[in-house]
Amino acid sequence: MPSVRSFTVLPALPDSLQELDVLAKNLLWAWNPQTVELFRRIDPALWSACGHNPVRLLGAVSQTRLAALARNESFLSELRRAAENLRSYLGASTWYDKVTPQTTKPTIAYFSAEFGLHECLPIYSGGLGILAGDHLKSASDLGIPLVGVGLMYQKGFFRQYLNIDGWQQEAYVENDLFNMPVELVRKDSGRPLTVNVDYPGRSVQAQIWRISVGRLPLYLLDTNIAPNSPGDRMITSSLYGGDRELRIRQEILLGIGGLKALLTMGIEPTVCHMNEGHAAFMALERIRQLRSTRNMTFDEAVEATRSGNVFTVHTLVKAGLDEFSVELMDKYFGSYFPHLGVNRTQFLSLGRMLPDDENEPFKMPVLAIRLSGYINGVSKLHGQISRGVWGSLWPGVPTDEVPIASITNGIHLKTWLSDEISGLYQRYVGPTWSETVLDRGAWDQVDHIPDEELWSAHQRCKDQLIVFARKRLTAQLQRRGRCHGELRQAEEVLAPEALTIGFARRFAAYKRGDLLLKNPERLARLLNNSDRPVQFIFAGKAHPKDTGGKEIIRRIIHFASEETVRRRIVFLEDYDIDVARFLVRGVDVWLNNPRRPMEASGTSGMKAAANGVLNMSTLDGWWPEGYIPEGGWVIGDDQDYQNQEYQDMVEAQAIYSILENEVVPLFYARSADNLPRTWIQRMRATIKWVAPRFNTRRMLAEYTRRFYNPAATRYSYLAAEAMTRAKAFSRWKAEIRQAWPHFAVRDVVMNTEDGASGEQLNPRQPQLKVGSELQIRALIRLGAIRPEDVSVELYHGPTDSWGNIQQGSPVPMAYEQRAGDDGEHWFAGRMECRETGQHGVAVRVLPNHPDQVNPYDLGLILWEKG
């Protein structure tokens, strides 16, 4: 091979246009329509051809055109305004400054395997990445001191195209990093900064790319550099590609390499947030760093780092949960775990549901859960399901009390709103609506938007969608070599006046993309009703290895190609942010029919609703919180089925019935001026309910108040005075663990305050009246442990037919007195009987320490034995 010397060619911008380069390299433009319009104005056709990438645009536009723009006072005026907006944004006081006024701010590091910021940065695959991108944008808007950490993939996720039979094909296109809005992090010498990450028998170097996302940086690691072997250069080859061994290499780079990269750049995070389990190795590296720099034991370092770790769990689908075989863990961590101060069995147990099961693979979500003080699901239902799935990690803890919280996802409104709808918000909700988006009262102003204006704005978005879909479909057919007749027909698909329903998401089996096809004849009647036609637009990708998902797409394509329906049903290839933008703004109804309860959240419906699009969904993910009767429709109910085929049949019939009897009649019910006024009322109700509740501004404010600030405070407290508090807390935990097997509930005595005699109740079947107060004393053996080191509680609630307490509540018991010299103590508590029926009460003991994140920190709980 010849020796190749690399160099970079930069755009030659006239002096008066230099600020275009500054604007292009900060992704604030991605949620600023005025700046996007400035770039489009340079050359509309080239802007489209460049994939809406301003850096590529500036490198491709002709010098003649640039010279002309340098003389165009109108353009220069807009450029100055855009540059001033950027400077003003970066220098303004923020929400975080107001709610967290301390002079020393924490640093929150947000780790994610993918980030969906814009279509010109294809380093995302789906909802997880889009959420991460919106997370960064709102963190920037709010001024939260956050840095993103991820990987820079050479090829990103695959580009999708369909063959003539409708079977998904994958193409991998290399990212041209030097023509993207990214910059290498460099040393003072100008050479790229690199970080070393250890792999079996070698050290791999990674360079670091920086993306400026408004006020905050996103750092992406890249191993495709000359010092590495060809195999190691492929570690960052593609997102979610390759085998399990490539995946573990990527996740080592993301977690261990990501933390090392931050420290190399002088960034020491106070809080580390893992977006899904891909980055869980970060928690191990955080422990290793503390051990090597602070002379701490493994348990001591765990206590310090857990307090500052946040974990957001997403998928509950087994195929989406990362796990690695024992053989792979031995290969990649055999020389690593000794640095943690644990043996092989202890190390592997960190990633196992059953620590002693030698055959259980190492699960990344389990590792993240065990080493995080703050854990959450992404909707209320998802949090509830997650507590059931992972609850066995806290043996004896009732499911409702498993310490997995819920912080429901949201969307970055300014990214996903159409210019038309955003303009209405500007006029009627107020010019500062994006800053006061959480003020639910302000959204009552949506009622003042005239029907004509709201419908006209929506219809313009719909027209844009149909034009986009026709162009896209024509290009798809041209690539497949279709005849001119079919190409002409593509220009006639979809009607602007027809009820348009969108379905776009990842094509996994549980999302049931082909549920509509259960009764094709009934569906065809809906599509072909000459007076009230319905049309569908589908988009989405199946994982390259998911043949079932590909088969779903193929069935849709075959149905859509039938002569009788081909103008009413369209599948758009290569679903990405750009396609999603047109869809969520332009359809009339957003359809979502996952098999409950497998959807974590599902933010596409939120994006649609914020644009006035009505949702129709099963009660899964966010929809149990997002649904209001006057704002959308529910498919089926909240029943969980054992027979999936029966569930699919029932819910397919429900879709047809809702469309035939509710959605279609409502959409086509027009006033004398041809406005669907009742439909428009539902659009308003949807906007008023969804916009102030399901946005990332609310989501980030919730993360900050519930997780980030408490975690930062706790970590700083434990780390103070050379980690003495963390070490003391670790010693306390060790003492409790050692003493716990000797604890016992020795006796329990129940009385009622207003009983006729005040005598002890019959313990087998006491009968009380509403309003009675139950008094309970418990004798607890604690040995040498102090009473203040435990929390003794009454756990009470209704019982089921087996005598188990359901939906119980704890009531603390107060220390009363010592009982002799053998470490036994009396505790007393009381509870009021407020409801009739069969109830139960049990005494339980939990560890108690002010430095615990939650009462279940140690995973210890002692129940009264029958």
Side-chain angles (χ1 to χ4, degrees), residues 245-315:
E245 187 152 10
L246 178 60
R247 178 64 69 89
I248 197 172
R249 291 177 183 175
Q250 288 186 334
E251 297 191 0
I252 288 170
L253 182 66
L254 173 62
I256 296 176
L259 185 64
K260 281 187 170 185
L262 292 179
L263 296 175
T264 300
M265 292 183 289
I267 302 169
E268 184 171 356
T270 320
V271 177
C272 291
H273 184 171
M274 295 166 277
N275 186 39
E276 192 54 285
H278 308 115
F281 292 141
M282 175 280 302
L284 297 176
E285 179 62 13
R286 209 173 181 195
I287 291 168
R288 191 198 66 79
Q289 291 279 353
L290 273 188
R291 274 182 46 78
S292 66
T293 59
R294 303 293 184 95
N295 191 31
M296 301 175 78
T297 68
F298 174 76
D299 288 339
E300 291 169 348
V302 166
E303 294 317 319
T305 56
R306 280 185 78 251
S307 65
N309 286 344
V310 176
F311 174 51
T312 297
V313 61
H314 288 268
T315 183

Side-chain angles (χ1 to χ4, degrees), residues 263-512:
L263 296 175
T264 300
M265 292 183 289
I267 302 169
E268 184 171 356
T270 320
V271 177
C272 291
H273 184 171
M274 295 166 277
N275 186 39
E276 192 54 285
H278 308 115
F281 292 141
M282 175 280 302
L284 297 176
E285 179 62 13
R286 209 173 181 195
I287 291 168
R288 191 198 66 79
Q289 291 279 353
L290 273 188
R291 274 182 46 78
S292 66
T293 59
R294 303 293 184 95
N295 191 31
M296 301 175 78
T297 68
F298 174 76
D299 288 339
E300 291 169 348
V302 166
E303 294 317 319
T305 56
R306 280 185 78 251
S307 65
N309 286 344
V310 176
F311 174 51
T312 297
V313 61
H314 288 268
T315 183
L316 298 175
V317 182
K318 181 172 174 56
L321 296 175
D322 268 349
E323 60 181 32
F324 299 109
S325 68
V326 174
E327 292 74 21
L328 273 180
M329 294 304 296
D330 281 339
K331 178 177 179 179
Y332 282 89
F333 286 89
S335 60
Y336 183 90
F337 68 74
H339 296 288
L340 299 176
V342 295
N343 61 36
R344 177 179 179 273
T345 300
Q346 291 171 315
F347 174 73
L348 292 174
S349 70
L350 292 171
R352 286 174 166 162
M353 298 288 288
L354 301 173
D356 297 326
D357 183 356
E358 285 296 320
N359 297 315
E360 182 181 347
F362 191 95
K363 297 178 174 62
M364 296 296 280
V366 174
L367 176 66
I369 288 171
R370 290 193 189 279
L371 297 180
S372 295
Y374 303 84
I375 309 160
N376 72 285
V378 291
S379 69
K380 287 183 179 178
L381 176 61
H382 181 247
Q384 173 189 327
I385 301 300
S386 297
R387 287 189 284 276
V389 169
W390 304 111
S392 62
L393 294 174
W394 294 269
V397 175
T399 301
D400 289 347
E401 295 188 78
V402 167
I404 298 178
S406 296
I407 296 182
T408 301
N409 283 344
I411 61 166
H412 186 255
L413 285 173
K414 294 187 77 171
T415 291
W416 297 104
L417 283 178
S418 69
D419 292 348
E420 290 76 9
I421 297 297
S422 180
L424 293 180
Y425 291 175
Q426 190 87 3
R427 289 200 298 276
Y428 292 97
V429 180
T432 60
W433 69 265
S434 61
E435 280 72 42
T436 58
V437 67
L438 303 184
D439 181 2
R440 296 175 184 178
W443 289 91
D444 290 338
Q445 301 304 312
V446 170
D447 288 333
H448 298 148
I449 302 175
D451 287 358
E452 297 83 356
E453 286 194 45
L454 183 54
W455 188 247
S456 176
H458 172 66
Q459 199 60 40
R460 289 197 299 275
C461 294
K462 189 173 179 179
D463 291 342
Q464 293 165 13
L465 167 62
I466 290 174
V467 170
F468 175 83
R470 287 172 176 172
K471 288 181 178 178
R472 192 117 177 162
L473 183 60
T474 300
Q476 291 172 196
L477 294 176
Q478 284 177 329
R479 186 189 46 73
R480 292 182 211 161
R482 296 292 191 176
C483 65
H484 290 295
E486 287 179 295
L487 295 179
R488 284 196 300 272
Q489 291 173 355
E491 297 172 359
E492 301 170 358
V493 301
L494 306 175
E497 70 280 359
L499 172 63
T500 305
I501 301 175
F503 182 99
R505 54 197 23 86
R506 184 164 50 88
F507 273 81
Y510 78 91
K511 294 181 182 282
R512 300 188 296 183

Side-chain angles (χ1 to χ4, degrees), residues 694-800:
F694 298 95
N695 61 77
T696 41
R697 197 176 183 95
R698 185 273 310 156
M699 184 185 83
L700 262 295
E702 203 170 340
Y703 271 114
T704 299
R705 290 189 172 111
R706 294 177 60 186
F707 284 7
Y708 292 163
N709 282 354
T713 300
R714 191 176 298 274
Y715 179 82
S716 298
Y717 170 82
L718 290 175
E721 300 175 7
M723 293 285 176
T724 54
R725 292 192 180 99
K727 293 176 180 179
F729 186 33
S730 176
R731 286 194 299 272
W732 176 85
K733 279 192 170 184
E735 291 170 3
I736 293 293
R737 286 194 184 98
Q738 185 175 5
W740 197 260
H742 307 293
F743 286 12
V745 180
R746 297 298 304 276
D747 194 13
V748 175
V749 181
M750 295 197 306
N751 289 287
T752 55
E753 185 178 74
D754 58 350
S757 63
E759 296 179 357
Q760 182 174 336
L761 294 166
N762 177 355
R764 294 186 178 179
Q765 190 60 46
Q767 291 184 337
L768 304 170
K769 292 183 179 180
V770 171
S772 297
E773 187 173 71
L774 190 64
Q775 299 176 340
I776 299 179
R777 298 177 73 232
L779 181 63
I780 312 296
R781 184 176 68 203
L782 299 176
I785 297 299
R786 301 174 304 168
E788 56 264 38
D789 287 334
V790 299
S791 172
V792 183
E793 298 176 340
L794 300 175
Y795 184 77
H796 69 95
T799 57
D800 60 18

